[in-house]
Amino acid sequence: MGLYSALLAITAVFPLTSAQNVVSLVGNDWTLSNDLLNVSVPAHLPSQAHLDLFANQVIGDPYYGLNDFNLRWVVWSNWTYTSAPISGLSSNGSSTWLLFNGLDTFASIEFCGLHVASTNNQFRQYWFDVSSILNSCDEADRQISINFGSAPLIANDIASQPGQETWPAGVQQVFEFTNRWFIRKEQSDFGWDWGPAFAPAGPWQPAWVVQLDNNEVYVRNSIVDIYREGQMPLVQPDQSKDWVVNASIDYFGELPAGATLSYTLTDLENTTISIGGLSNVNCTDSTVTGETMIPASMVDLWWPSQLGPQTLYYMSINLVSTSNKTLAAVTKRVGFRTIVLNEDPISDVQLAQGIAPGNNWHFEINGYEFYAKGSNFIPPDAFWARVTPERISQLFDSVIDGNQNMLRVWASGAYSPDFMYDLADEKGILLWSEFEFGDALYPVDEAFLDNVREEAEYNVRRVNHHPSLALWAGGNELENLELSLVNQSAPDQLAKYTAQYETLFLDTLLPAVFGSSHSISYAPSSTSNGWQSLDFRKAIPITERYNNLTAGYNYDPAVLYNDSALPIGRFSNEFGFHSMPSVQSWRQQISEADLSFNSTVVTLRDHHPPPGGLNASNFANASIGQAQMTEAVELWYPVPNKTDSVANFSAWCHATQIFQADLYTFEIEFYRRGSGLPERQLGSLYWQLEDIWVAPTWAGLEYDGRWKVLHYAAKDIYEHVIVAPYYNITTGNLSVWVTSDLWSPISGKATFAWYDWNGDKLDINMTASTNFKVGAINSTQVLQAFTTEALAGKDMTNAVLHMTVEAEGSLPNDNQTRTFKHENWLHPTALKNAQLVDPGLQLSYSNSTKNFTIEATSGVAAWVWLDYPAGAVVNFDSNAFWLLSNQTREVSYNVKSDTTNGGWIEGVTVQSLWNQTLST
Ligand SMILES: *[C@@H]1O[C@H](CO)[C@@H](O)[C@H](O)[C@H]1NC(C)=O
Ligand SMILES: *[C@@H]1O[C@H](CO)[C@@H](O)[C@H](O)[C@H]1NC(C)=O
Ligand SMILES: *[C@@H]1O[C@H](CO)[C@@H](O)[C@H](O)[C@H]1NC(C)=O
Ligand SMILES: *[C@@H]1O[C@H](CO)[C@@H](O)[C@H](O)[C@H]1NC(C)=O
Ligand SMILES: *[C@@H]1O[C@H](CO)[C@@H](O)[C@H](O)[C@H]1NC(C)=O
Ligand SMILES: *[C@@H]1O[C@H](CO)[C@@H](O)[C@H](O)[C@H]1NC(C)=O
Ligand SMILES: *[C@@H]1O[C@H](CO)[C@@H](O)[C@H](O)[C@H]1NC(C)=O
């Protein structure tokens, strides 16, 4: 499946001695069976049952039509993966082990027909000594068999045990299957408001048989922690200090006495930078730890995209015996950087700069504040076993092309594979990473906490060396949502559930991070109000603040263009509104007959808002989301009314995307302007980056990677320097601001010009241009006016304001002076009331420049949209823009995938909002 090639290239564990025998179980020598159902088909490892059943045509495409409901029988059944007899095992090794990097989730493992162990955590690594079983096992019987139980049935079983924890009404958010909080499995496998519920089962990660001799070890996991001397998590380090490299390997087997650690640091060309022994070596029966110093002058820093280069190194750690034999070696690709979540109290210096009192809440890279631009990553597929590095690479290219530098890897999917961090390291994407808990409270019995501790330590240690790792957070919407729900439902029990919350998210998870890492900050909940105090003399250094927050979501579409409806804060990590995917995407997963806005299939894929559970008989809930999107379009834009039903469906899908993009643009403009206001706002991560399937969701990228209107709009409004209007549609109060996220001041000129929709310039008594300066990561007002005065005597429905900005400046860590340009538009009334004209759009394509050229020949064109047919995934360098009359724009493109052999170019069309008013 190509899944592990990238991992092996970068994090290599070498079996170095002749006796050590490592047999990979990855491959096609597996059978998937269920005796009761009389199913037995060839299978793969890694995999999940749905995928092998689909590959063998026992079931149809799980993503097609209503198969998410129709295939429930797969979820209620047990599935057994059985290997062929394992060859290549020696009978005289001193120990034999089974090593599994991931079993999803309730597995009963047999070897040679004998029970080995049962597992109950998708996110843990498991290893078992099977030496005694092998000793009395014939070669032909050396089979591994893994029986997976039904996770939803087992979750219900656990819930019904006597004495089990319960929670006040309304606290636990149920989507499709119940009781997900009792089990350690991807929480969105039980359904979510953007995805289906398949609750897959299977060996979703690679596995091995490992044979060791006496005095041999196998490295199952390792950590490299790189930090500035004296650095503590959550605290700004002294950037003048040298680097500490703390390395630790987790092993099984027999460690010879007196073993030591050595290291080699090289650049990516394998030129040695530093070599030597690690000091303070500490051997226990499961880990060996040591450390060294790397002088700051020896290495270059790693930076996120657009802030500097992504410099990487290889760090090799060797475990060496007293006789200088290499017992094991691990190579990890690392970067030298500090990334801190600054929640310190606002300082006197900051107060003097006009920053409002309270605490900071922003990230600092290598000691520098920066503006975090990005979105929220959800599981890219309901079946992780088919997520390839190629797919994540394509997705991350869209992140970079979209001017984003940070993703919040949302808390109720799965811990990201190493290849995902590797790609983020290379491309410069910061990954705010979370433990897999969300929208529920969790049990705190000892067995559950022990299970979580193992899961957390394994994953913290596995990924800590990646410079793209930006933060560990405990879970999603816990403090702001879950504890508030307890307070609403059962205020007298708030203290009890808050204490339980702290048991898990402070007492258990915090030590799992801080016990292994000096380099990474921890926050118990996204979203939260941060810490009240931080004191490393205490066992648990964080004391939480627990104030409430203004809600980040508002499903009243009337909030568009109403600044006062938005929350003011230091950072916004989730906001949004859902929209429909394109008709090209719908056609990949539903039938032609279902292509209408409120068809049963389309409506049943709208899982917003679901509280109370969603199922095929609960249709009423499903249509609430469809109604919200309809209302949003009807409130602001011309309503599609095409004669052809599929064309009408497509136009409606597109219209919902325009509302979504319009709203997010407005929100991001507002948050970014806040970088220059007392809130000193330093981040906006919208909900959500991408889709898990084809459905109405908050995504900006559709399931196959196609960009919605949103991703283009976000790319534009995440440019370094933007000009944006802040307008009260009721009072006519208009201000225009320029915002810059560059690290040095810029100066330039902003212009303002009014036109009618025919494209003729209006003679308006208003400032036409102004020179300005903007400080580092700051904003400044460049215009203040009232449209009621400026347009007095004019028809507001026939006026649009065109704003431009042009400024000189330079990128962070780059001395070159560059010109930054941006333009924006304001329509003083809703576009549905505007006197739109046919802008006479002309489209041409040049075979020599490989560019499309679009020209508006007879009026102002709003929301110009280049569309392309199914069969390819392409992104244009700009789209969803506006054009003045007689303005042209050249648009280049990137092809992400193409099954049309370039034929998609012929199928490109252009339209604008004007087309929405037409019947064809
Ligand atoms: C199904 O799996 C569960 C959980 O591992 C187990 O208790 C049960 O015996 C299994 N049933 C069958 C028929 O294999
Ligand atoms: C560096 O060494 C690794 C491991 O030996 C090898 O795979 C890689 O090709 C080398 N890179 C260069 C640039 O020589
Ligand atoms: C070695 O590591 C173990 C486990 O982390 C710890 O308990 C012990 O104190 C350490 N020993 C030394 C000498 O640092
Ligand atoms: C092991 O290697 C080190 C460094 O190469 C050397 O100084 C030492 O003498 C060696 N020890 C043995 C026992 O060979
Ligand atoms: C937030 O807390 C304040 C007082 O601490 C209270 O007045 C306000 O109603 C609360 N807001 C919400 C949304 O709970
Ligand atoms: C879809 O259905 C909802 C709920 O019944 C309704 O409010 C909305 O107007 C419909 N939308 C369209 C485009 O027909
Ligand atoms: C849609 O178009 C039809 C004719 O094609 C017309 O009768 C109807 O009034 C239109 N509806 C709207 C809301 O414009």
Side-chain angles (χ1 to χ4, degrees):
M1 298 196 142
L3 217 129
Y4 298 98
S5 51
L7 170 70
L8 285 177
I10 292 159
T11 310
V13 176
F14 304 103
L16 284 156
T17 54
S18 51
Q20 194 173 100
N21 183 25
V22 179
V23 178
S24 169
L25 297 173
V26 170
N28 291 322
D29 286 350
W30 288 81
T31 303
L32 173 68
S33 63
N34 178 310
D35 293 345
L36 294 174
L37 297 169
N38 205 14
V39 173
S40 177
V41 292
H44 190 83
L45 183 144
S47 190
Q48 286 159 311
H50 285 85
L51 298 178
D52 292 308
L53 294 172
F54 178 36
N56 290 284
Q57 297 175 0
V58 176
I59 61 172
D61 181 351
Y63 272 5
Y64 194 77
L66 293 179
N67 278 350
D68 53 326
F69 300 118
N70 298 336
L71 295 176
R72 289 288 200 244
W73 62 270
V74 178
V75 178
W76 307 131
S77 307
N78 281 35
W79 294 101
T80 302
Y81 279 83
T82 307
S83 72
I86 298 160
S87 56
L89 296 185
S90 102
S91 300
N92 51 16
S94 83
S95 67
T96 298
W97 304 75
L98 303 185
L99 173 62
F100 298 96
N101 269 8
L103 297 169
D104 180 11
T105 289
F106 294 95
S108 174
I109 304 159
E110 288 183 1
F111 183 47
C112 301
L114 294 175
H115 181 73
V116 174
S118 295
T119 68
N120 65 352
N121 189 331
Q122 176 185 1
F123 309 123
R124 277 174 66 179
Q125 185 188 46
Y126 290 99
W127 60 103
F128 306 106
D129 185 344
V130 292
S131 314
S132 61
I133 296 181
L134 184 70
N135 287 343
S136 51
C137 179
D138 290 341
E139 276 192 30
D141 297 334
R142 290 177 180 172
Q143 282 176 291
I144 297 172
S145 160
I146 317 169
N147 181 326
F148 290 90
S150 160
L153 291 182
I154 294 169
N156 290 343
D157 225 47
I158 297 172
S160 67
Q161 282 161 15
Q164 191 52 273
E165 186 58 73
T166 58
W167 293 271
V171 170
Q172 305 297 80
Q173 304 297 301
V174 179
F175 295 91
E176 297 186 52
F177 304 127
T178 49
N179 292 315
R180 60 185 169 82
W181 41 87
F182 287 110
I183 68 169
R184 296 310 302 143
K185 174 169 174 56
E186 176 159 310
Q187 299 284 281
S188 61
D189 284 350
F190 278 37
W192 216 266
D193 54 2
W194 35 253
F198 285 106
W204 71 300
Q205 297 277 343
W208 301 264
V209 182
V210 177
Q211 294 194 293
L212 301 174
D213 229 330
N214 293 331
N215 289 323
E216 281 188 347
V217 298
Y218 186 81
V219 178
R220 60 170 185 85
N221 195 22
S222 56
I223 176 170
V224 172
D225 190 33
I226 299 179
Y227 53 96
R228 298 279 189 186
E229 195 182 354
Q231 184 177 346
M232 294 302 280
L234 283 164
V235 180
Q236 298 308 314
D238 179 343
Q239 298 291 337
S240 68
K241 296 285 189 191
D242 288 332
W243 297 100
V244 178
V245 177
N246 192 311
S248 179
I249 58 178
D250 300 327
Y251 71 90
F252 55 78
E254 197 180 273
L255 184 69
T260 56
L261 291 170
S262 68
Y263 76 94
T264 309
L265 179 70
T266 71
D267 65 16
L268 293 193
E269 271 70 53
N270 293 343
T271 307
T272 301
I273 295 193
S274 177
I275 190 163
L278 295 188
S279 53
N280 299 330
V281 172
N282 180 356
C283 301
T284 74
D285 60 2
S286 58
T287 68
V288 186
T289 304
E291 64 180 33
T292 190
M293 300 288 298
I294 300 291
S297 58
M298 259 188 195
V299 289
D300 291 328
L301 295 173
W302 181 94
W303 298 91
S305 169
Q306 298 187 340
L307 303 180
Q310 287 76 54
T311 310
L312 295 167
Y313 297 89
Y314 289 117
M315 174 63 84
S316 297
I317 308 294
N318 302 307
L319 181 65
V320 186
S321 74
T322 47
S323 58
N324 274 0
K325 179 174 144 190
T326 299
L327 299 166
V330 179
T331 298
K332 293 201 155 194
R333 200 181 58 183
V334 301
F336 290 80
R337 59 89 182 89
T338 68
I339 177 88
V340 174
L341 172 59
N342 182 347
E343 299 177 50
D344 293 346
I346 296 293
S347 66
D348 290 345
V349 173
Q350 288 179 300
L351 287 172
Q353 290 165 346
I355 298 177
N359 280 50
N360 288 281
W361 208 104
H362 65 261
F363 292 90
E364 296 185 13
I365 182 79
N366 297 324
Y368 292 89
E369 285 183 351
F370 66 99
Y371 195 91
K373 304 185 286 195
S375 53
N376 283 260
F377 176 96
I378 61 157
D381 204 290
F383 307 101
W384 269 102
R386 68 178 177 188
V387 177
T388 59
E390 292 69 29
R391 198 155 135 206
I392 297 294
S393 182
Q394 180 190 315
L395 197 59
F396 280 5
D397 284 342
S398 289
V399 171
I400 295 295
D401 290 344
N403 290 321
Q404 303 189 15
N405 56 30
M406 182 181 283
L407 297 176
R408 172 175 167 246
V409 182
W410 170 80
S412 297
Y415 298 93
S416 306
D418 277 274
F419 68 72
M420 208 167 115
Y421 286 99
D422 281 330
L423 289 162
D425 293 344
E426 286 164 21
K427 296 179 201 279
I429 303 170
L430 290 165
L431 300 180
W432 159 341
S433 301
E434 303 192 333
F435 296 102
E436 310 305 338
F437 300 89
D439 298 285
L441 293 176
Y442 288 81
V444 291
D445 56 90
E446 270 317 305
F448 189 85
L449 294 177
D450 286 345
N451 205 0
V452 167
R453 196 175 291 116
E454 293 287 343
E455 152 194 342
E457 285 174 359
Y458 168 61
N459 286 291
V460 164
R461 294 171 73 80
R462 178 175 64 86
V463 305
N464 189 74
H465 62 285
H466 292 284
S468 57
L469 178 65
L471 172 71
W472 277 109
N476 180 57
E477 298 181 319
L478 301 171
E479 278 179 31
N480 61 323
L481 178 69
E482 289 303 307
L483 293 178
S484 317
L485 289 173
V486 172
N487 197 26
Q488 280 166 29
S489 180
D492 55 320
Q493 297 187 55
L494 182 61
K496 169 186 162 186
Y497 290 105
T498 302
Q500 290 191 356
Y501 165 77
E502 295 201 347
T503 300
L504 179 52
F505 294 100
L506 285 176
D507 303 347
T508 307
L509 289 175
L510 180 149
V513 180
F514 292 175
S516 282
S517 179
H518 282 67
S519 57
I520 291 298
S521 303
Y522 175 74
S525 168
S526 318
T527 309
S528 82
N529 274 352
W531 50 254
Q532 175 93 21
S533 69
L534 182 69
D535 182 352
F536 282 96
R537 290 166 304 187
K538 296 185 182 165
I540 301 300
I542 292 177
T543 305
E544 283 297 90
R545 181 178 305 281
Y546 293 131
N547 271 329
N548 56 27
L549 284 177
T550 312
Y553 284 86
N554 190 334
Y555 289 100
D556 176 1
V559 303
L560 181 61
Y561 317 132
N562 176 5
D563 283 343
S564 63
L566 296 181
I568 293 175
R570 309 273 191 214
F571 199 104
S572 186
N573 70 354
E574 269 198 39
F575 51 92
F577 199 100
H578 62 321
S579 74
M580 295 277 266
S582 65
V583 69
Q584 291 92 326
S585 284
W586 277 116
R587 279 196 159 114
Q588 295 174 31
Q589 293 184 4
I590 73 174
S591 76
E592 226 32 44
D594 293 322
L595 295 178
S596 67
F597 197 88
N598 278 329
S599 72
T600 305
V601 177
V602 167
T603 303
L604 283 174
R605 285 190 178 217
D606 187 334
H607 294 186
H608 168 75
L614 180 87
N615 56 56
S617 61
N618 189 3
F619 197 79
N621 261 354
S623 60
I624 295 172
Q626 294 299 98
Q628 283 176 349
M629 288 187 289
T630 309
E631 190 196 339
V633 170
E634 288 172 350
L635 197 54
W636 298 109
Y637 311 97
V639 171
N641 186 23
K642 310 244 177 249
T643 321
D644 176 77
S645 71
V646 174
N648 199 45
F649 175 66
S650 177
W652 264 101
C653 291
H654 186 63
T656 66
Q657 290 190 19
I658 290 178
F659 172 75
Q660 182 193 32
D662 215 356
L663 180 66
Y664 287 44
T665 300
F666 158 76
E667 293 180 307
I668 293 168
E669 288 167 349
F670 176 82
Y671 293 130
R672 287 195 60 183
R673 180 182 64 164
S675 65
L677 295 177
E679 65 263 32
R680 185 62 175 158
Q681 215 279 359
L682 288 175
S684 54
L685 310 179
Y686 64 80
W687 189 268
Q688 68 198 60
L689 174 68
E690 91 296 10
D691 261 332
I692 195 171
W693 68 337
V694 176
T697 75
W698 297 252
L701 299 173
E702 297 177 9
Y703 178 64
D704 69 359
R706 180 179 282 259
W707 290 23
K708 280 185 177 176
V709 177
L710 167 60
H711 204 79
Y712 289 107
K715 170 182 167 66
D716 174 71
I717 212 63
Y718 279 147
E719 292 285 348
H720 290 292
V721 177
I722 58 165
V723 58
Y726 299 84
Y727 179 58
N728 186 316
I729 206 162
T730 315
T731 64
N733 190 354
L734 167 68
S735 63
V736 177
W737 289 63
V738 173
T739 300
S740 164
D741 71 349
L742 298 169
W743 289 4
S744 48
I746 57 166
S747 54
K749 182 174 177 176
T751 71
F752 318 97
W754 287 93
Y755 296 86
D756 65 19
W757 282 98
N758 283 318
D760 293 327
K761 200 157 179 183
L762 296 176
D763 183 17
I764 302 286
N765 182 17
M766 203 186 82
T767 310
S769 73
T770 185
N771 293 323
F772 67 85
K773 283 188 172 36
V774 186
I777 319 178
N778 217 318
S779 60
T780 194
Q781 185 176 301
V782 290
L783 180 80
Q784 170 58 51
F786 279 86
T787 54
T788 39
E789 288 166 15
L791 296 174
K794 297 269 187 322
D795 183 350
M796 291 250 196
T797 65
N798 195 15
V800 290
L801 174 64
H802 182 226
M803 293 151 270
T804 69
V805 66
E806 191 169 327
E808 303 275 298
S810 59
L811 293 171
N813 288 306
D814 180 292
N815 292 330
Q816 199 185 324
T817 300
R818 296 165 194 265
T819 303
F820 296 88
K821 291 184 186 178
H822 188 249
E823 64 178 341
N824 214 324
W825 296 82
L826 174 86
H827 41 89
T829 60
L831 285 168
K832 74 168 175 187
N833 300 322
Q835 294 183 35
L836 299 179
V837 301
D838 180 355
L841 290 177
Q842 304 276 324
L843 172 71
S844 59
Y845 179 73
S846 158
N847 270 314
S848 56
T849 64
K850 305 265 183 247
N851 280 353
F852 293 93
T853 302
I854 301 100
E855 180 174 11
T857 58
S858 57
V860 174
W863 293 104
V864 175
W865 182 245
L866 284 166
D867 203 12
Y868 63 95
V873 176
V874 173
N875 63 276
F876 301 102
D877 74 335
S878 69
N879 206 351
F881 47 84
W882 289 47
L883 285 176
L884 283 173
S885 194
N886 299 319
Q887 200 181 3
T888 61
R889 177 169 310 205
E890 282 203 27
V891 174
S892 63
Y893 59 84
N894 268 321
V895 177
K896 300 257 163 89
S897 67
D898 182 17
T899 59
T900 70
N901 199 16
W904 66 271
I905 290 173
E906 307 267 282
V908 171
T909 59
V910 67
Q911 58 168 315
S912 71
L913 202 64
W914 165 252
N915 298 71
Q916 214 153 283
T917 67
L918 306 178
S919 62
T920 55

